[in-house]
Amino acid sequence: MNHDSQNVVTVDNRFAMIPHWLILSDVSDGALRLYAALMKYADSTTRQAFPSRATIANDMHKSVKSVDRYLRELESLGAVRVQRRKRVGSLE
């Protein structure tokens, strides 16, 4: 290996912990990536995250529809629990 003293590599030390059982499951690569993206926004104590679907889609370079599909996949495995909030002024 050639070590060039002119080059410096800086590594981003931020990381997301992903449960081993999830990595070994039949989950899609996109859903696994979504899990990691969600962990970026998760509170370290409550593990709750509140990013918008558009923000996550932008982070992942995917469409909101893809994020929704991956989220349903993670939900069905029990990897995440989604609590949908009512919009202000919504009758639902």
Side-chain angles (χ1 to χ4, degrees), residues 10-56:
T10 303
V11 178
D12 182 357
N13 288 332
R14 293 175 291 174
F15 63 93
M17 291 179 31
I18 300 173
H20 200 234
W21 70 264
L22 184 58
I23 294 168
L24 296 176
S25 72
D26 287 333
V27 71
S28 70
D29 294 345
L32 195 60
R33 189 169 172 198
L34 171 59
Y35 188 92
L38 287 170
M39 290 301 292
K40 171 183 173 184
Y41 298 97
D43 179 271
S44 61
T45 304
T46 65
R47 297 183 307 180
Q48 292 182 333
F50 300 97
S52 71
R53 293 161 42 239
T55 295
I56 293 293

Side-chain angles (χ1 to χ4, degrees), residues 33 55-63 67:
R33 189 169 172 198
T55 295
I56 293 293
N58 188 54
D59 286 356
M60 293 179 62
H61 305 283
K62 299 287 183 182
S63 69
V67 168

